[in-house]
Amino acid sequence: MSKRWTSWIAIGLVLSMAFLAACGSDAGKGASDEQVLTAGMVVSEPPNLDPAKTEDSQSGLIARHVMEGLANMDKEGEPTPGIAEKWDVSKDGKKITFHLRDAKWSNGDPVTAGDFEYAWKRVLNPDTGSTYAYQLFYLKNGEKYNKGKAKADEVGVKAVDDKTLEVELEKPTPYFISLTSFYTLMPVNKKVVEKNKKWAANADTFVNNGAFNLAEWKHDSKIVLKKNKDYWNADKVKLAQINLPFIGEDKTGYQMFKAGEIDYGDKTIIPADMMGDLIKKGEVKSVPELASYAYEFNVKEKPFTNEKIRKAFAMAMDRKSIVENVAQGGQLPANGWVPRGMPDFAAEKDWVQAHDTYLKPTAQAEEAKKLLKEGMKEEGWDKLPPVTIDYNTDEGHKKIAEAIQQMWKKNLNVNVKLRNSEWKVYLEKKHTGDFQVARFGWLPDYVDPMTFLDMYTTDSGQNDPSYSNKKYDALIKKAKSTADQKVRMEALHKAEKILMEDMPIAPIYSYTHNTMQKENVKNVIYKKDGHTDFRFAYLTEE
């Protein structure tokens, strides 16, 4: 991306933020002393900490601190050395050789190139059932292996020796090195995994290679991370411990923060009905986030089998009212699925500024009613089938669901039911298609529009709406076939336009990252891909 490309959104996204403070007897100690941090960022039990199965931001927060991939990502989204201290890229961009540093697993085993080869092929193995397997389709024969059309030893990843990993790609992929920092591409210890299939389910069996160890996992209660003294960069890790209590309600989290029991928190500890006032008072810090909030329509479930009906429900949403009167966190109404702040690497400006308006901020009630009537006529329905909105248990999601429920009643004269589920159960419902309309949020796996668009290809493991469009698939394939940014961006813009015409997903707003924090924690970095990095944070005296 050109250094000339800037905007207030981009600047906000790369801000390094200082937060958190020690609690209890550790408060006020100098940076060289034992330091303990308590963060309110986890709502409920993380669904899965196995890199091959991790797919949500809560599990991902923990994974990024206990595991490490070939690369890390800096605050601007660019790759930096991780377990690989350097890499070489061939002239055609299709072959990458990673050179690994000396690193250890928490059980004392060396981290080897073979661990990465095993981990990546395990993700691609259809028996693993990884929803993120498609992120390794960039490898030569990766997709073919996943679909049973090639053997594992034909996949383009090979451990030449313990310190050298050769990767061969199907096509040049400009963001592949950045992608190696994502949790799906993190290594696992082959010996440990093959000995115990449930190795990642408990702290006492978990083996990791990151900056912190999984010291305690009290299910449905809390996770405790402790500094990994064998981490290759341990000298720069100042925190001795990170406490992550599971906080079911934001009001409870807020009370804990005010009582000094929590030192830092995101929306997990910020009551939804207080968000606007707390931002105005300066108690909550808010920066733009490279993420989108939306409702997905299951295109295999009536009435959303009909495109016009999907469009009608999307047009009946008042996005401006939702961000101003409900969310109140500084969010901006969505103009498309790819959020504000994502760069168009060819136009050298914000992605949203490089395409037409797909969605209007206010409801278009009359046009929505007309489309609904046309859709029902096409289906031969005199009465619309019952509609239910699914959302995961959270006060903020509940308020948005209630607001949209009212909008659909007012603008479409449709009565809608609401159904909430605990996070792990909710994810399972979405993946099995047990929904009609479901709330959905997406943060980037790497900084490129592709991460918001390839998830809706026909065979993607993240395609919960069961959407399928051959023209869309072809455009995504075209964008993945070249490193020419002009060709890539043009194809991706055309793909997003089709997505907004077919409307399997109704974008609502671009996120903001909202936090409450104490004053004496330094060097915690909020990164452009939406994750928070505590690895090199330290505490100063209050």
Side-chain angles (χ1 to χ4, degrees):
M1 176 174 61
S2 168
K3 292 182 179 179
R4 297 194 304 274
W5 184 85
T6 58
S7 72
W8 71 270
I9 295 178
I11 293 170
L13 283 165
V14 302
L15 288 177
S16 172
M17 298 162 54
F19 18 92
L20 311 157
C23 63
S25 62
D26 295 284
K29 290 189 176 183
S32 61
D33 295 318
E34 291 285 290
Q35 301 186 10
V36 178
L37 170 84
T38 299
M41 299 183 70
V42 182
V43 176
S44 59
E45 182 78 3
N48 208 311
L49 297 186
D50 180 343
K53 299 291 186 69
T54 299
E55 59 171 319
D56 66 294
S57 58
Q58 290 196 150
S59 302
L61 169 72
I62 299 160
R64 291 181 188 277
H65 287 87
V66 299
M67 290 289 195
E68 184 165 277
L70 293 166
N72 284 305
M73 189 180 290
D74 68 15
K75 63 183 180 180
E76 297 182 5
E78 296 296 325
T80 60
I83 297 299
E85 56 185 355
K86 60 181 180 178
W87 45 81
D88 307 312
V89 183
S90 63
K91 289 183 179 180
D92 65 3
K94 293 173 65 175
K95 187 175 181 179
I96 308 173
T97 304
F98 293 94
H99 304 279
L100 277 60
R101 66 176 77 249
D102 290 332
K104 290 183 180 181
W105 290 102
S106 55
N107 67 353
D109 292 344
V111 179
T112 69
D115 293 324
F116 284 92
E117 178 182 354
Y118 172 75
W120 291 9
K121 289 180 178 178
R122 178 171 174 258
V123 169
L124 287 169
N125 188 330
D127 293 337
T128 302
S130 174
T131 57
Y132 262 125
Y134 71 94
Q135 292 291 33
L136 282 163
F137 287 0
Y138 298 105
L139 299 180
K140 182 178 179 180
N141 292 320
E143 183 173 8
K144 289 182 179 178
Y145 172 52
N146 181 255
K147 295 180 178 179
K149 297 178 180 179
K151 297 178 181 179
D153 59 10
E154 296 176 306
V155 176
V157 57
K158 180 182 179 182
V160 177
D161 54 44
D162 284 350
K163 295 297 180 64
T164 310
L165 186 73
E166 284 189 356
V167 175
E168 189 173 358
L169 305 177
E170 288 279 1
K171 303 289 183 180
T173 307
Y175 46 83
F176 185 81
I177 294 173
S178 293
L179 183 57
T180 66
S181 69
F182 187 59
Y183 32 79
T184 305
L185 279 72
M186 290 175 177
V188 293
N189 186 307
K190 179 179 179 180
K191 180 176 65 177
V192 170
V193 174
E194 291 188 340
K195 184 178 180 179
N196 179 10
K197 292 182 179 181
K198 296 183 179 181
W199 68 278
N202 293 288
D204 58 356
T205 55
F206 197 89
V207 174
N208 57 276
N209 70 328
F212 293 87
N213 293 327
L214 186 63
E216 184 180 354
W217 185 353
K218 188 174 180 180
H219 293 285
D220 297 315
S221 178
K222 67 178 180 178
I223 277 178
V224 176
L225 309 180
K226 290 191 177 181
K227 177 178 176 178
N228 180 5
K229 295 180 180 179
D230 289 327
Y231 178 54
W232 67 268
N233 209 8
D235 288 347
K236 293 186 178 180
V237 178
K238 305 303 180 184
L239 293 175
Q241 182 171 313
I242 301 175
N243 298 323
L244 295 164
F246 302 165
I247 302 169
E249 295 185 3
D250 50 25
K251 285 184 171 60
T252 300
Y254 180 72
Q255 293 168 357
M256 292 172 70
F257 177 82
K258 299 300 284 186
E261 298 171 18
I262 291 178
D263 310 305
Y264 160 80
D266 58 10
K267 66 182 183 65
T268 305
I269 66 165
I270 305 172
D273 57 359
M274 297 173 63
M275 180 72 77
D277 287 341
L278 291 174
I279 290 175
K280 290 177 183 178
K281 292 177 181 178
E283 292 185 44
V284 170
K285 294 183 179 180
S286 180
V287 297
E289 185 169 34
L290 196 61
S292 289
Y293 190 100
Y295 272 19
E296 288 184 323
F297 300 120
N298 188 340
V299 303
K300 290 189 175 182
E301 289 289 329
K302 295 178 181 180
F304 300 110
T305 50
N306 186 282
E307 176 189 314
K308 288 182 179 179
I309 292 177
R310 297 195 297 269
K311 284 185 177 180
F313 275 74
M315 293 172 69
M317 293 179 176
D318 189 329
R319 294 164 178 80
K320 185 173 184 290
S321 177
I322 290 171
V323 300
E324 292 180 356
N325 302 318
V326 185
Q328 299 184 31
Q331 301 89 346
L332 293 173
N335 183 5
W337 173 229
V338 179
R340 288 173 170 81
M342 179 64 76
D344 179 315
F345 293 104
E348 296 187 354
K349 57 184 177 182
D350 192 297
W351 177 268
V352 175
Q353 296 173 351
H355 66 67
D356 296 332
T357 299
Y358 297 135
L359 299 164
K360 293 185 179 180
T362 55
Q364 299 166 267
E366 293 307 312
E367 190 171 350
K369 288 177 183 176
K370 180 181 176 182
L371 281 174
L372 178 62
K373 185 176 180 180
E374 291 176 0
M376 291 176 65
K377 184 177 180 180
E378 288 178 357
E379 300 296 332
W381 297 335
D382 294 325
K383 185 178 180 181
L384 198 71
V387 175
T388 299
I389 295 173
D390 273 283
Y391 64 94
N392 57 293
T393 304
D394 175 274
E395 193 62 27
H397 300 325
K398 178 184 178 182
K399 288 183 177 296
I400 290 172
E402 290 173 340
I404 291 175
Q405 181 187 43
Q406 294 171 8
M407 290 172 188
W408 286 348
K409 175 61 177 177
K410 176 184 177 182
N411 297 327
L412 296 175
N413 195 28
V414 174
N415 293 313
V416 178
K417 295 180 180 180
L418 305 182
R419 179 174 70 167
N420 68 295
S421 306
E422 183 271 329
W423 180 232
K424 188 174 182 179
V425 174
Y426 179 74
L427 286 178
E428 182 65 21
K429 285 182 178 180
K430 279 185 86 271
H431 287 332
T432 58
D434 182 18
F435 73 96
Q436 291 174 295
V437 189
R439 90 93 206 161
F440 184 58
W442 191 254
L443 285 79
D445 302 335
Y446 48 91
V447 182
D448 192 279
M450 181 65 78
T451 188
F452 283 88
L453 295 171
D454 67 349
M455 63 186 298
Y456 289 116
T457 54
T458 300
D459 295 331
S460 168
Q462 295 289 354
N463 184 5
D464 293 340
S466 299
Y467 171 67
S468 180
N469 184 307
K470 290 182 179 179
K471 290 183 179 179
Y472 184 87
D473 292 349
L475 286 165
I476 298 298
K477 184 176 181 180
K478 181 178 181 180
K480 289 185 175 183
S481 70
T482 177
D484 186 319
Q485 294 288 28
K486 184 177 181 180
V487 174
R488 292 183 64 248
M489 296 298 107
E490 182 180 357
L492 291 175
H493 275 297
K494 289 180 178 178
E496 186 181 26
K497 185 175 182 180
I498 290 174
L499 193 71
M500 292 296 93
E501 289 172 350
D502 292 348
M503 205 63 74
I505 182 169
I508 299 174
Y509 59 71
S510 293
Y511 272 95
T512 48
H513 184 67
N514 300 309
T515 58
M516 295 188 73
Q517 61 208 43
K518 293 188 178 177
E519 297 290 333
N520 69 326
V521 173
K522 308 298 179 182
N523 205 38
V524 176
I525 300 173
Y526 175 65
K527 298 190 175 183
K528 192 169 182 177
D529 69 342
H531 81 267
T532 302
D533 190 348
F534 296 124
R535 291 177 303 154
F536 308 121
Y538 60 91
L539 308 176
T540 59
E541 293 185 6
E542 292 186 286

